[in-house]
Amino acid sequence: MPDPNGFLRYDRRLPARRPVPVRIMDWREVYPQAGEELIREQATRCMDCGIPFCHDGCPLGNRIPDWNDLVRTGNWDAAVESLHATNNFPEFTGRLCPAPCEAACVLGLGGQQPVTIKQVEVEIADAAVARGGLRPRPVPAPTGRSVAVVGSGPAGLAAAQQLARAGHNVTVYERDDALGGLLRYGIPDFKLEKRHIDRRLAQLSAEGVRFRTGVNVGVDVTAEELRAEHDAVLLACGALQGRDTPETPGRALRGVHQAMAHLVAANRAVAAAAAGQPSVAAAGDGRQPPAVLPDGTPIDAAGKHVVIIGGGDTAADCLGVAHRQGAAGVHQLDLYPEPPAGRDAARDPWPTWPWILRNYPAHEEGGERVFAVAVQEFVDDGTGQVTAVRIAEVTVEKREGRRTVTVLPGSERELPADLVLLAIGFDGTEEQPLLAQLGVVRNGRGAVDARPNWQTDVDGVFVAGDMHRGASLIVWAIAEGRAAAAAIHAYLGGVGELPAPVDPAQQPLAAR
Ligand SMILES: Cc1cc2nc3c(=O)[nH]c(=O)nc-3n(C[C@H](O)[C@H](O)[C@H](O)COP(=O)(O)OP(=O)(O)OC[C@H]3O[C@@H](n4cnc5c(N)ncnc54)[C@H](O)[C@@H]3O)c2cc1C
Ligand code: SF4
């Protein structure tokens, strides 16, 4: 029985973030470990609601009130088990999820303070490591059936683990030199240190999952070869087609890049530094590793005026990277007006995901956010290098699904810019040889449709994660990976059923 007065006795509290002047000198995670006392106190705030609305926010079906109570009573081993029953990688979601469960928590009603669900989750995930490591699960007798998973992001890895634990032979193909998808080279270390991925990969490996990195399926291995070798194929290739703005004058200037080019280069530089040193922390002695594109072109923010275009996760990650690289100044531009600080119940009633101003840790590290502006031109310094961004104030209206942007006359001004990063979203999964070879087509959103059993229009070829949903969240990628694994298991005639937390048509809890 949980403490019915816990939320009356304790306010919501999170561990203090590492001080800004210290953390921007290195690439280590922003949050330190919370400490058992704080986390047990916070878990005590959970009311174990008769109808736990937090469940409606989480596509994984995490048993939130159960593990809150187990943490409250200090029953860590059971909490670890309960958490892993629904989530293969709580150390990723606990660190990175924007926590739709917290937006749906009953304690958040009327603008109050929800349970710190995500913080409890990450502490349980870390307790699993501290209390004996991520032990591999015993694998049942082999089924003799074989599955190829293309893509090693959270969707592919979750599916691979589920299928291996059901006794299937699983091979994960990844075109990059390292595994993890966007978690590896997209998301910076200050949000997720890569040791968490490596630890989980060791567990998957011990459970029998085979990994083939540096293999671009469709180029290095044809779809025909893949299908000949495996009984089923899961496509989990992500939604990595960056949206661009080719019509904006000056787009072709030097110094104007896709945000992902910047993030991948920065993450690779950090990985290289870390490989030569005992820990990522050692890279942060004031000398940030220089980031370069694959052709050697520098894309480092050191000493530069940086303009980031976009308001989401990717933009905030570029901001944090720019600070750590030693940018001279950073502006982050958003087309939309500044959202309200709290939920507008008329627009997004509880328990839906609210449109509010999201302040990431990167925002408290510096930089200036500019709302309701659109770029009119990237300005040339006369040598083909960008030197400024000309912006104008705008209003944005949405009518019948179409967006109309109106420029306010006379509002134009320039911001200094040596490095411009486009973080304006993704246009779905990339068009690549693999799709044509398989006969799989992208829909109007650039994603790949799935039937109710997660199969594409091609027999034996399944799809999950961002490739199916469009650019989304890690929690959805894991949920879809688990559900697709269940469908593949059934397709292969596996014994029993695997958990399938979502179906392909499922949408996040939203008012619009
Ligand atoms: C910068 C950034 C920050 C983000 N931050 C967050 C966050 O804080 N919280 C959150 O919840 N979500 C975040 N996201 C979203 C999250 O990372 C994605 O939703 C998630 O990674 C999708 O997982 P996935 O497995 O579907 O695909 P991905 O992680 O994109 O992995 C797909 C993999 O497939 C590989 N691949 C593609 N084609 C082939 C091929 N032909 N052969 C072999 N391999 C192939 C790719 O190389 C890639 O490794 C962020 C996204 C970005 C871009
Ligand atoms: S909605 Fe909030 S208070 Fe209720 S069970 Fe879920 S986490 Fe606990």
Side-chain angles (χ1 to χ4, degrees):
M1 171 70 187
D3 181 344
N5 296 321
F7 72 99
L8 296 172
R9 283 194 290 128
Y10 303 115
D11 288 336
R12 178 183 161 105
R13 284 199 299 142
L14 287 168
R17 296 193 265 266
R18 296 168 60 224
V20 169
V22 174
R23 73 183 194 233
I24 61 166
M25 297 302 285
D26 66 41
W27 296 88
R28 285 173 44 212
E29 283 172 11
V30 165
Y31 283 95
Q33 197 112 30
E36 180 159 352
E37 196 186 333
L38 172 63
I39 233 52
R40 287 182 64 176
E41 169 197 293
Q42 291 300 304
T44 304
R45 296 185 70 238
C46 175
M47 302 183 289
D48 191 11
C49 303
I51 301 175
F53 277 90
C54 51
H55 282 197
D56 293 336
C58 178
L60 280 168
N62 277 339
R63 300 170 187 168
I64 295 163
D66 293 10
W67 38 259
N68 274 336
D69 199 47
L70 291 165
V71 168
R72 178 183 73 85
T73 51
N75 204 341
W76 287 93
D77 287 336
V80 165
E81 198 160 317
S82 174
L83 181 55
H84 282 89
T86 56
N87 187 351
N88 299 69
F89 312 129
E91 66 279 24
F92 304 160
T93 44
R95 285 182 168 76
L96 298 170
C97 192
C101 54
E102 292 187 16
C105 172
V106 175
L107 279 188
L109 250 172
Q112 299 304 305
Q113 295 298 303
V115 175
T116 57
I117 302 171
K118 174 173 137 148
Q119 193 64 39
V120 176
E121 178 183 23
V122 79
E123 296 298 329
I124 301 172
D126 289 354
V129 175
R131 302 167 84 83
L134 300 176
R135 281 187 292 271
R137 295 242 179 107
V139 178
T143 61
R145 312 307 298 274
S146 151
V147 184
V149 175
V150 187
S152 69
L157 292 180
Q161 185 164 56
Q162 292 297 97
L163 289 163
R165 286 177 173 179
H168 304 296
N169 286 325
V170 184
T171 307
V172 176
Y173 295 84
E174 171 55 57
R175 66 185 175 189
D176 249 324
D177 59 351
L179 299 155
L182 279 171
L183 308 193
R184 176 67 65 177
Y185 292 132
I187 293 174
D189 284 67
F190 56 80
K191 277 170 64 180
L192 180 80
E193 290 176 17
K194 306 313 168 197
R195 63 196 163 93
H196 304 295
I197 310 175
D198 296 336
R199 200 179 276 137
R200 205 39 99 164
L201 290 170
Q203 185 195 42
L204 265 72
S205 220
E207 290 172 352
V209 177
R210 275 173 295 189
F211 296 111
R212 291 188 59 189
T213 49
V215 179
N216 188 349
V217 181
V219 177
D220 303 315
V221 174
T222 65
E224 201 181 335
E225 287 164 336
L226 198 72
R227 301 216 62 188
E229 207 179 315
H230 302 281
D231 300 307
V233 174
L234 174 65
L235 302 177
C237 301
L240 301 166
Q241 185 63 55
R243 195 166 292 155
D244 214 314
T245 175
E247 71 289 348
T248 307
R251 167 63 185 93
L253 292 174
R254 286 195 311 280
V256 183
H257 298 279
Q258 280 285 346
M260 282 304 291
H262 178 237
L263 291 175
V264 171
N267 278 331
R268 283 188 178 281
V270 173
Q277 300 175 21
S279 74
V280 180
D285 59 357
R287 294 173 292 113
Q288 312 299 347
V292 291
L293 294 172
D295 67 1
T297 310
I299 189 172
D300 206 281
K304 292 191 177 143
H305 294 284
V306 182
V307 172
I308 302 165
I309 305 171
D313 271 332
T314 308
D317 289 356
C318 287
L319 181 64
V321 166
H323 293 144
R324 282 160 183 76
Q325 288 176 335
V330 190
H331 285 97
Q332 187 191 339
L333 312 184
D334 202 319
L335 192 62
Y336 292 96
E338 184 169 344
R343 183 193 289 274
D344 173 354
R347 179 196 152 112
D348 305 308
W350 175 89
T352 61
W353 182 244
W355 181 64
I356 55 169
L357 181 65
R358 299 198 184 272
N359 285 313
Y360 298 84
H363 291 118
E364 70 184 18
E365 293 165 1
E368 188 186 334
R369 292 166 99 171
V370 190
F371 292 93
V373 291
V375 174
Q376 306 300 295
E377 183 188 355
F378 302 112
V379 182
D380 192 341
D381 74 347
T383 71
Q385 160 69 40
V386 69
T387 186
V389 171
R390 195 157 52 77
I391 58 171
E393 289 172 29
V394 294
T395 55
V396 185
E397 275 184 294
K398 268 193 183 160
R399 275 199 217 116
E400 290 159 15
R402 290 179 65 87
R403 191 172 74 179
T404 312
V405 180
T406 311
V407 171
L408 220 72
S411 67
E412 291 193 4
R413 63 189 166 114
E414 284 190 5
L415 299 173
D418 316 301
L419 178 64
V420 178
L421 303 169
L422 307 178
I424 51 179
F426 294 86
D427 279 330
T429 199
E430 298 150 292
E431 192 62 71
Q432 52 168 309
L434 172 63
L435 298 187
Q437 289 171 16
L438 286 169
V440 167
V441 289
R442 300 189 313 155
N443 62 23
R445 296 181 300 110
V448 172
D449 287 328
R451 295 180 187 174
N453 67 354
W454 294 95
Q455 214 164 161
T456 63
D457 287 337
V458 182
D459 181 55
V461 178
F462 297 74
V463 63
D466 278 9
M467 190 177 193
H468 160 254
R469 179 162 290 276
S472 177
L473 297 175
I474 293 160
V475 71
W476 277 96
I478 298 173
E480 291 211 356
R482 287 171 71 84
I488 293 170
H489 182 64
Y491 173 82
L492 296 176
V495 177
E497 285 180 9
L498 299 185
V502 288
D503 65 60
Q506 206 157 318
Q507 292 298 323
L509 196 61
R512 53 189 65 225

